[in-house]
PDB file of all heavy atoms in Angstrom:
ATOM      1  N   TYR R 401      57.274  -3.495 -28.326  1.00 93.00           N
ATOM      2  CA  TYR R 401      58.260  -4.543 -28.059  1.00 93.00           C
ATOM      3  C   TYR R 401      58.721  -5.148 -29.388  1.00 93.00           C
ATOM      4  O   TYR R 401      59.918  -5.293 -29.642  1.00 93.00           O
ATOM      5  CB  TYR R 401      57.634  -5.621 -27.162  1.00 93.00           C
ATOM      6  CG  TYR R 401      58.604  -6.697 -26.742  1.00 93.00           C
ATOM      7  CD1 TYR R 401      59.261  -6.610 -25.531  1.00 93.00           C
ATOM      8  CD2 TYR R 401      58.846  -7.815 -27.543  1.00 93.00           C
ATOM      9  CE1 TYR R 401      60.181  -7.581 -25.137  1.00 93.00           C
ATOM     10  CE2 TYR R 401      59.751  -8.794 -27.169  1.00 93.00           C
ATOM     11  CZ  TYR R 401      60.412  -8.684 -25.961  1.00 93.00           C
ATOM     12  OH  TYR R 401      61.282  -9.640 -25.586  1.00 93.00           O
ATOM     13  N   GLY R 402      57.753  -5.465 -30.246  1.00 93.00           N
ATOM     14  CA  GLY R 402      58.079  -6.030 -31.555  1.00 93.00           C
ATOM     15  C   GLY R 402      58.883  -5.057 -32.392  1.00 93.00           C
ATOM     16  O   GLY R 402      59.874  -5.423 -33.028  1.00 93.00           O
ATOM     17  N   HIS R 403      58.454  -3.779 -32.336  1.00 92.00           N
ATOM     18  CA  HIS R 403      59.110  -2.741 -33.140  1.00 92.00           C
ATOM     19  C   HIS R 403      60.572  -2.591 -32.746  1.00 92.00           C
ATOM     20  O   HIS R 403      61.474  -2.561 -33.593  1.00 92.00           O
ATOM     21  CB  HIS R 403      58.354  -1.426 -32.938  1.00 92.00           C
ATOM     22  CG  HIS R 403      59.028  -0.211 -33.481  1.00 92.00           C
ATOM     23  ND1 HIS R 403      59.185   0.927 -32.738  1.00 92.00           N
ATOM     24  CD2 HIS R 403      59.626   0.026 -34.661  1.00 92.00           C
ATOM     25  CE1 HIS R 403      59.819   1.829 -33.460  1.00 92.00           C
ATOM     26  NE2 HIS R 403      60.105   1.314 -34.634  1.00 92.00           N
ATOM     27  N   VAL R 404      60.834  -2.519 -31.427  1.00 89.00           N
ATOM     28  CA  VAL R 404      62.222  -2.254 -30.971  1.00 89.00           C
ATOM     29  C   VAL R 404      63.087  -3.518 -31.020  1.00 89.00           C
ATOM     30  O   VAL R 404      64.208  -3.466 -31.504  1.00 89.00           O
ATOM     31  CB  VAL R 404      62.190  -1.666 -29.529  1.00 89.00           C
ATOM     32  CG1 VAL R 404      63.592  -1.532 -28.969  1.00 89.00           C
ATOM     33  CG2 VAL R 404      61.516  -0.293 -29.557  1.00 89.00           C
ATOM     34  N   PHE R 405      62.527  -4.640 -30.517  1.00 88.00           N
ATOM     35  CA  PHE R 405      63.403  -5.808 -30.365  1.00 88.00           C
ATOM     36  C   PHE R 405      63.384  -6.787 -31.535  1.00 88.00           C
ATOM     37  O   PHE R 405      64.313  -7.571 -31.688  1.00 88.00           O
ATOM     38  CB  PHE R 405      63.092  -6.518 -29.035  1.00 88.00           C
ATOM     39  CG  PHE R 405      63.281  -5.621 -27.850  1.00 88.00           C
ATOM     40  CD1 PHE R 405      62.234  -5.366 -26.965  1.00 88.00           C
ATOM     41  CD2 PHE R 405      64.498  -5.008 -27.621  1.00 88.00           C
ATOM     42  CE1 PHE R 405      62.419  -4.537 -25.886  1.00 88.00           C
ATOM     43  CE2 PHE R 405      64.671  -4.170 -26.528  1.00 88.00           C
ATOM     44  CZ  PHE R 405      63.637  -3.935 -25.644  1.00 88.00           C
ATOM     45  N   LEU R 406      62.344  -6.762 -32.331  1.00 88.00           N
ATOM     46  CA  LEU R 406      62.316  -7.656 -33.499  1.00 88.00           C
ATOM     47  C   LEU R 406      62.654  -6.918 -34.785  1.00 88.00           C
ATOM     48  O   LEU R 406      63.249  -7.468 -35.690  1.00 88.00           O
ATOM     49  CB  LEU R 406      60.927  -8.320 -33.604  1.00 88.00           C
ATOM     50  CG  LEU R 406      60.466  -9.153 -32.419  1.00 88.00           C
ATOM     51  CD1 LEU R 406      59.087  -9.734 -32.658  1.00 88.00           C
ATOM     52  CD2 LEU R 406      61.443 -10.270 -32.130  1.00 88.00           C
ATOM     53  N   PHE R 407      62.219  -5.629 -34.862  1.00 86.00           N
ATOM     54  CA  PHE R 407      62.450  -4.868 -36.098  1.00 86.00           C
ATOM     55  C   PHE R 407      63.484  -3.750 -35.897  1.00 86.00           C
ATOM     56  O   PHE R 407      63.502  -2.808 -36.684  1.00 86.00           O
ATOM     57  CB  PHE R 407      61.150  -4.355 -36.648  1.00 86.00           C
ATOM     58  CG  PHE R 407      60.223  -5.447 -37.097  1.00 86.00           C
ATOM     59  CD1 PHE R 407      59.193  -5.866 -36.240  1.00 86.00           C
ATOM     60  CD2 PHE R 407      60.398  -6.107 -38.288  1.00 86.00           C
ATOM     61  CE1 PHE R 407      58.334  -6.898 -36.618  1.00 86.00           C
ATOM     62  CE2 PHE R 407      59.543  -7.131 -38.681  1.00 86.00           C
ATOM     63  CZ  PHE R 407      58.535  -7.539 -37.837  1.00 86.00           C
ATOM     64  N   SER R 408      64.260  -3.821 -34.810  1.00 80.00           N
ATOM     65  CA  SER R 408      65.369  -2.886 -34.556  1.00 80.00           C
ATOM     66  C   SER R 408      64.946  -1.408 -34.658  1.00 80.00           C
ATOM     67  O   SER R 408      65.661  -0.601 -35.254  1.00 80.00           O
ATOM     68  CB  SER R 408      66.511  -3.149 -35.515  1.00 80.00           C
ATOM     69  OG  SER R 408      66.873  -4.477 -35.487  1.00 80.00           O
ATOM     70  N   ALA R 409      63.784  -1.091 -34.079  1.00 83.00           N
ATOM     71  CA  ALA R 409      63.290   0.298 -34.039  1.00 83.00           C
ATOM     72  C   ALA R 409      63.296   0.971 -35.412  1.00 83.00           C
ATOM     73  O   ALA R 409      63.777   2.087 -35.551  1.00 83.00           O
ATOM     74  CB  ALA R 409      64.093   1.092 -32.994  1.00 83.00           C
ATOM     75  N   THR R 410      62.800   0.246 -36.408  1.00 83.00           N
ATOM     76  CA  THR R 410      62.844   0.738 -37.808  1.00 83.00           C
ATOM     77  C   THR R 410      62.267   2.132 -37.935  1.00 83.00           C
ATOM     78  O   THR R 410      62.780   2.938 -38.719  1.00 83.00           O
ATOM     79  CB  THR R 410      62.018  -0.209 -38.684  1.00 83.00           C
ATOM     80  OG1 THR R 410      62.112  -1.507 -38.154  1.00 83.00           O
ATOM     81  CG2 THR R 410      62.454  -0.190 -40.131  1.00 83.00           C
ATOM     82  N   LEU R 411      61.185   2.424 -37.200  1.00 84.00           N
ATOM     83  CA  LEU R 411      60.549   3.722 -37.384  1.00 84.00           C
ATOM     84  C   LEU R 411      61.400   4.880 -36.848  1.00 84.00           C
ATOM     85  O   LEU R 411      61.211   6.005 -37.229  1.00 84.00           O
ATOM     86  CB  LEU R 411      59.167   3.724 -36.712  1.00 84.00           C
ATOM     87  CG  LEU R 411      58.156   2.768 -37.303  1.00 84.00           C
ATOM     88  CD1 LEU R 411      56.859   2.799 -36.501  1.00 84.00           C
ATOM     89  CD2 LEU R 411      57.872   3.109 -38.755  1.00 84.00           C
ATOM     90  N   PHE R 412      62.308   4.560 -35.948  1.00 78.00           N
ATOM     91  CA  PHE R 412      63.172   5.613 -35.395  1.00 78.00           C
ATOM     92  C   PHE R 412      64.411   5.833 -36.253  1.00 78.00           C
ATOM     93  O   PHE R 412      65.144   6.782 -36.063  1.00 78.00           O
ATOM     94  CB  PHE R 412      63.660   5.258 -33.984  1.00 78.00           C
ATOM     95  CG  PHE R 412      62.547   5.275 -32.949  1.00 78.00           C
ATOM     96  CD1 PHE R 412      62.728   4.648 -31.725  1.00 78.00           C
ATOM     97  CD2 PHE R 412      61.351   5.921 -33.174  1.00 78.00           C
ATOM     98  CE1 PHE R 412      61.732   4.649 -30.783  1.00 78.00           C
ATOM     99  CE2 PHE R 412      60.356   5.925 -32.228  1.00 78.00           C
ATOM    100  CZ  PHE R 412      60.540   5.275 -31.041  1.00 78.00           C
ATOM    101  N   GLU R 413      64.638   4.902 -37.202  1.00 72.00           N
ATOM    102  CA  GLU R 413      65.873   4.929 -38.001  1.00 72.00           C
ATOM    103  C   GLU R 413      66.157   6.268 -38.640  1.00 72.00           C
ATOM    104  O   GLU R 413      67.254   6.800 -38.498  1.00 72.00           O
ATOM    105  CB  GLU R 413      65.817   3.815 -39.028  1.00 72.00           C
ATOM    106  CG  GLU R 413      67.197   3.518 -39.593  1.00 72.00           C
ATOM    107  CD  GLU R 413      67.171   2.355 -40.580  1.00 72.00           C
ATOM    108  OE1 GLU R 413      66.621   1.308 -40.217  1.00 72.00           O
ATOM    109  OE2 GLU R 413      67.685   2.524 -41.682  1.00 72.00           O
ATOM    110  N   PRO R 414      65.160   6.895 -39.323  1.00 72.00           N
ATOM    111  CA  PRO R 414      65.454   8.169 -39.985  1.00 72.00           C
ATOM    112  C   PRO R 414      65.938   9.231 -38.974  1.00 72.00           C
ATOM    113  O   PRO R 414      66.794  10.035 -39.308  1.00 72.00           O
ATOM    114  CB  PRO R 414      64.119   8.582 -40.605  1.00 72.00           C
ATOM    115  CG  PRO R 414      63.323   7.360 -40.657  1.00 72.00           C
ATOM    116  CD  PRO R 414      63.767   6.474 -39.546  1.00 72.00           C
ATOM    117  N   ALA R 415      65.392   9.182 -37.750  1.00 68.00           N
ATOM    118  CA  ALA R 415      65.770  10.189 -36.775  1.00 68.00           C
ATOM    119  C   ALA R 415      67.138   9.876 -36.173  1.00 68.00           C
ATOM    120  O   ALA R 415      67.937  10.773 -35.919  1.00 68.00           O
ATOM    121  CB  ALA R 415      64.740  10.249 -35.666  1.00 68.00           C
ATOM    122  N   LEU R 416      67.424   8.596 -35.980  1.00 66.00           N
ATOM    123  CA  LEU R 416      68.664   8.216 -35.303  1.00 66.00           C
ATOM    124  C   LEU R 416      69.871   8.147 -36.249  1.00 66.00           C
ATOM    125  O   LEU R 416      70.999   8.328 -35.869  1.00 66.00           O
ATOM    126  CB  LEU R 416      68.511   6.866 -34.618  1.00 66.00           C
ATOM    127  CG  LEU R 416      67.455   6.815 -33.525  1.00 66.00           C
ATOM    128  CD1 LEU R 416      67.208   5.400 -33.110  1.00 66.00           C
ATOM    129  CD2 LEU R 416      67.908   7.614 -32.317  1.00 66.00           C
ATOM    130  N   LYS R 417      69.569   7.876 -37.497  1.00 61.00           N
ATOM    131  CA  LYS R 417      70.629   7.675 -38.488  1.00 61.00           C
ATOM    132  C   LYS R 417      71.445   8.959 -38.712  1.00 61.00           C
ATOM    133  O   LYS R 417      72.661   8.915 -38.741  1.00 61.00           O
ATOM    134  CB  LYS R 417      69.966   7.271 -39.818  1.00 61.00           C
ATOM    135  CG  LYS R 417      70.883   6.472 -40.692  1.00 61.00           C
ATOM    136  CD  LYS R 417      70.055   5.890 -41.821  1.00 61.00           C
ATOM    137  CE  LYS R 417      70.897   5.121 -42.776  1.00 61.00           C
ATOM    138  NZ  LYS R 417      70.085   4.481 -43.814  1.00 61.00           N
ATOM    139  N   GLY R 418      70.741  10.074 -38.780  1.00 59.00           N
ATOM    140  CA  GLY R 418      71.410  11.349 -38.972  1.00 59.00           C
ATOM    141  C   GLY R 418      72.307  11.355 -40.208  1.00 59.00           C
ATOM    142  O   GLY R 418      71.900  10.964 -41.293  1.00 59.00           O
ATOM    143  N   TRP R 419      73.565  11.737 -39.983  1.00 60.00           N
ATOM    144  CA  TRP R 419      74.525  11.825 -41.103  1.00 60.00           C
ATOM    145  C   TRP R 419      75.190  10.497 -41.361  1.00 60.00           C
ATOM    146  O   TRP R 419      75.964  10.349 -42.269  1.00 60.00           O
ATOM    147  CB  TRP R 419      75.570  12.892 -40.815  1.00 60.00           C
ATOM    148  CG  TRP R 419      76.119  12.782 -39.426  1.00 60.00           C
ATOM    149  CD1 TRP R 419      75.712  13.477 -38.320  1.00 60.00           C
ATOM    150  CD2 TRP R 419      77.159  11.922 -38.973  1.00 60.00           C
ATOM    151  NE1 TRP R 419      76.419  13.103 -37.221  1.00 60.00           N
ATOM    152  CE2 TRP R 419      77.326  12.152 -37.588  1.00 60.00           C
ATOM    153  CE3 TRP R 419      77.962  10.974 -39.591  1.00 60.00           C
ATOM    154  CZ2 TRP R 419      78.250  11.437 -36.838  1.00 60.00           C
ATOM    155  CZ3 TRP R 419      78.907  10.287 -38.813  1.00 60.00           C
ATOM    156  CH2 TRP R 419      79.032  10.524 -37.454  1.00 60.00           C
ATOM    157  N   SER R 420      74.914   9.491 -40.460  1.00 63.00           N
ATOM    158  CA  SER R 420      75.681   8.259 -40.513  1.00 63.00           C
ATOM    159  C   SER R 420      75.462   7.498 -41.829  1.00 63.00           C
ATOM    160  O   SER R 420      74.346   7.223 -42.240  1.00 63.00           O
ATOM    161  CB  SER R 420      75.244   7.359 -39.357  1.00 63.00           C
ATOM    162  OG  SER R 420      75.822   6.111 -39.471  1.00 63.00           O
ATOM    163  N   VAL R 421      76.569   7.190 -42.467  1.00 63.00           N
ATOM    164  CA  VAL R 421      76.519   6.423 -43.714  1.00 63.00           C
ATOM    165  C   VAL R 421      76.458   4.942 -43.398  1.00 63.00           C
ATOM    166  O   VAL R 421      75.802   4.175 -44.072  1.00 63.00           O
ATOM    167  CB  VAL R 421      77.765   6.744 -44.591  1.00 63.00           C
ATOM    168  CG1 VAL R 421      77.823   5.826 -45.823  1.00 63.00           C
ATOM    169  CG2 VAL R 421      77.732   8.193 -45.014  1.00 63.00           C
ATOM    170  N   MET R 422      77.132   4.602 -42.289  1.00 61.00           N
ATOM    171  CA  MET R 422      77.161   3.178 -41.918  1.00 61.00           C
ATOM    172  C   MET R 422      76.268   2.925 -40.716  1.00 61.00           C
ATOM    173  O   MET R 422      76.720   2.556 -39.637  1.00 61.00           O
ATOM    174  CB  MET R 422      78.592   2.768 -41.575  1.00 61.00           C
ATOM    175  CG  MET R 422      79.384   2.516 -42.855  1.00 61.00           C
ATOM    176  SD  MET R 422      80.989   1.964 -42.468  1.00 61.00           S
ATOM    177  CE  MET R 422      81.567   3.282 -41.503  1.00 61.00           C
ATOM    178  N   TYR R 423      74.988   3.185 -40.911  1.00 67.00           N
ATOM    179  CA  TYR R 423      74.034   2.943 -39.836  1.00 67.00           C
ATOM    180  C   TYR R 423      74.049   1.453 -39.524  1.00 67.00           C
ATOM    181  O   TYR R 423      73.851   0.633 -40.410  1.00 67.00           O
ATOM    182  CB  TYR R 423      72.662   3.404 -40.270  1.00 67.00           C
ATOM    183  CG  TYR R 423      71.648   3.356 -39.168  1.00 67.00           C
ATOM    184  CD1 TYR R 423      71.703   4.288 -38.128  1.00 67.00           C
ATOM    185  CD2 TYR R 423      70.637   2.404 -39.159  1.00 67.00           C
ATOM    186  CE1 TYR R 423      70.776   4.270 -37.108  1.00 67.00           C
ATOM    187  CE2 TYR R 423      69.708   2.387 -38.134  1.00 67.00           C
ATOM    188  CZ  TYR R 423      69.798   3.319 -37.116  1.00 67.00           C
ATOM    189  OH  TYR R 423      68.880   3.272 -36.116  1.00 67.00           O
ATOM    190  N   PRO R 424      74.346   1.091 -38.278  1.00 67.00           N
ATOM    191  CA  PRO R 424      74.490  -0.342 -37.992  1.00 67.00           C
ATOM    192  C   PRO R 424      73.157  -1.110 -38.106  1.00 67.00           C
ATOM    193  O   PRO R 424      72.088  -0.554 -37.796  1.00 67.00           O
ATOM    194  CB  PRO R 424      74.989  -0.340 -36.521  1.00 67.00           C
ATOM    195  CG  PRO R 424      74.673   0.996 -35.980  1.00 67.00           C
ATOM    196  CD  PRO R 424      74.608   1.948 -37.118  1.00 67.00           C
ATOM    197  N   HIS R 425      73.249  -2.333 -38.583  1.00 70.00           N
ATOM    198  CA  HIS R 425      72.086  -3.233 -38.591  1.00 70.00           C
ATOM    199  C   HIS R 425      72.127  -3.978 -37.256  1.00 70.00           C
ATOM    200  O   HIS R 425      72.831  -4.971 -37.142  1.00 70.00           O
ATOM    201  CB  HIS R 425      72.185  -4.237 -39.730  1.00 70.00           C
ATOM    202  CG  HIS R 425      72.039  -3.603 -41.076  1.00 70.00           C
ATOM    203  ND1 HIS R 425      71.943  -4.315 -42.231  1.00 70.00           N
ATOM    204  CD2 HIS R 425      71.982  -2.291 -41.443  1.00 70.00           C
ATOM    205  CE1 HIS R 425      71.843  -3.489 -43.256  1.00 70.00           C
ATOM    206  NE2 HIS R 425      71.887  -2.259 -42.788  1.00 70.00           N
TER     207      HIS R 425
END
Side-chain angles (χ1 to χ4, degrees):
Chain R
Y401 185 94
H403 169 229
V404 173
F405 300 122
L406 301 179
F407 296 99
S408 307
T410 328
L411 297 177
F412 292 163
E413 197 177 310
L416 297 169
K417 206 170 178 175
W419 47 264
S420 173
V421 173
M422 281 184 301
Y423 187 71
H425 291 188

